[in-house]
Amino acid sequence: MPKDIVQVEIKRIPLEIESAGLGMVELTDLAASVEQYMLQLQEEGEVDTLKQALLTALHFAAQSYLQTQNEGGKRKEEESRMDDLILKLKSYLDSTHK
């Protein structure tokens, strides 16, 4: 089965990326975001491209981690609300059937 490969470019370096469920538009946008962040680091004085790449990877990994943590907290909050509603419904049903 052939893999879906998307070609992107970051700082004039062509890359072939396995799509992994993302389309060409999404991967191109992500590559542009990575390049923009690396250019921002360069403007701040960081010239070493390997260090730029590592700082950029860490930046986006941290963003992803924080987003996952926030979603997990929201999910727990929603589960807690559902549990409360279930308890209230059970209590109401028990009181009406007595």
Side-chain angles (χ1 to χ4, degrees), residues 9 47 58 70 78:
E9 189 174 292
V47 179
L58 184 58
N70 289 338
E78 290 170 354

Side-chain angles (χ1 to χ4, degrees), residues 36-82:
Q36 185 63 36
Y37 191 81
M38 289 180 74
L39 291 172
Q40 180 183 345
L41 289 174
Q42 186 174 340
E43 289 174 3
E44 293 173 3
E46 185 56 59
V47 179
D48 180 352
T49 55
L50 176 58
K51 191 170 181 180
Q52 284 178 8
L54 292 172
L55 288 169
T56 301
L58 184 58
H59 168 77
F60 285 102
Q63 281 187 331
S64 176
Y65 177 80
L66 289 172
Q67 182 176 0
T68 301
Q69 292 298 310
N70 289 338
E71 289 173 358
K74 288 178 186 175
R75 189 174 310 117
K76 286 181 183 177
E77 186 178 312
E78 290 170 354
E79 288 174 358
S80 177
R81 285 186 196 151
M82 289 300 295

